[in-house]
Amino acid sequence: MNAPDRYERFVVPEGTKKVSYERDTKIINAASFTIEREDHTIGNILRMQLHRDPNVLFAGYKLPHPLQYKIIVRIHTTSQSSPMQAYNQSINDLDRELDHLKNAFEAEMAKFSRDY
Amino acid sequence: MEGGVSYARMPRVKIRDLKDDYAKFELRDTDASIANALRRVMIAEVPTIAIDLVEIETNSSVLNDEFIAHRLGLIPLTSQRAMSMRFSRDCDACDGDGQCEYCSVEFHLLVKCMTDQTLDVTSKDLISSDHTVTPVDFVDSSLAEPSDTSTNRGIIIVKLRRGQELKLRAIARKGIGKDHAKWSPAATVTFMYEPEIHINEDLMESLTLEEKKEWVESSPTHVFDIDPVTQQVSVVEPEAYTYDDEVLKKAEAMGKPGLVEINAKQDSFIFTVESTGAIKASQLVLNAIEILKTKLDAVRLSEDTVEADDQFGELGAHLRGG
């Protein structure tokens, strides 16, 4: 009867930003990114990729509530970098990794169908 | 790319087995977050096509209308087209009534039982408006001879007795497993850490043959075996190990801790993918990578966010006396 529509879990409502950015008011080079309609799939890969960046002092994500379809990624970096730079870099690196993975899988498929 | 530095990894893949509805492969040089993201996307976010709207004209069967509508929804449909189709909610060419080639496929079903024998209404009775989108045909491709019609009758929707009739129109739409499980292309997707098993040979040789047998038997799965000639214990199938710790507990109980050392390799995974038949297992993996890339692209910062921060940054620097 009053159940919310199922698509509300993954469709960003009109007039809402997918990603919003908020600087920390007390700590320099720290910020939170609120990502709408995403979950552990994106949150966890971003966090792990950020941990590979030596300029990142802290990176974590949380899903504040299972019925609020958003995640919050918090990044704290050294003065050599900035949260925004680290965030962009991690997305670029993940994109590159997935590109490589796709090619690797396709190459293996071609090899597999040839060999067997 | 900022300054040309990159912390990207170059994962390796090795396919072990590949069939239409089954794939087994090794994924190396990456971490559990990527493996798990792939698994999650395969289950819940790779799109397929499934019946979503049913208009029943006549139903004198024993099952009620909504029961039949639900059963129709669960029938897997061949969904190679799904990646290039539109979601009904973002389709601007139609109002989602099933007449639109970009977002929907229409099905008809018209069956009446005229004999004294019970009539099975199956997925094979569904007539599709698009020959590329049809109910999945479960013919085992590994069989050399095509199976006879008595063993391959499709998925039963309902059974009719004499005089009963079922007539309906159904609209199939593109969707994802997150919305409803009927759209999930995956039957099962699992991954395990590759185990690394080392037997301490010196300690092992301090056991009698009886003790060795007892220890090998303690594993619930067939991981170790004893060579009948040399009476040496060896690892025959490391991947059969289910991380149950039984052999470690047994070694402890026998007073031989450290008899075997088992490590889960943190950067090496063995994936098992089973598809419902809606798309091929190999295509499922590739689509999942593609979807994950699109998702990552969607979470990039927008231009106005960056600009707003630049201004704020200057202002902040100014306020700090910069």
Side-chain angles (χ1 to χ4, degrees), chain B residues 205-238:
Chain B
E205 283 318 303
S206 70
L207 298 179
T208 62
L209 182 59
E210 283 309 304
E211 286 176 313
K212 281 182 187 170
K213 273 187 184 155
E214 200 185 323
W215 183 77
V216 166
E217 292 298 308
S218 75
S219 176
T221 50
H222 187 67
V223 180
F224 306 96
D225 212 347
I226 301 175
D227 191 307
V229 186
T230 62
Q231 302 189 347
Q232 273 191 325
V233 178
S234 62
V235 183
V236 285
E237 185 58 67

Side-chain angles (χ1 to χ4, degrees), chain B residues 38-50:
Chain B
L38 271 179
R39 184 191 64 86
R40 286 173 65 98
V41 170
M42 281 191 246
I43 293 169
E45 298 190 57
V46 172
T48 64
I49 302 161

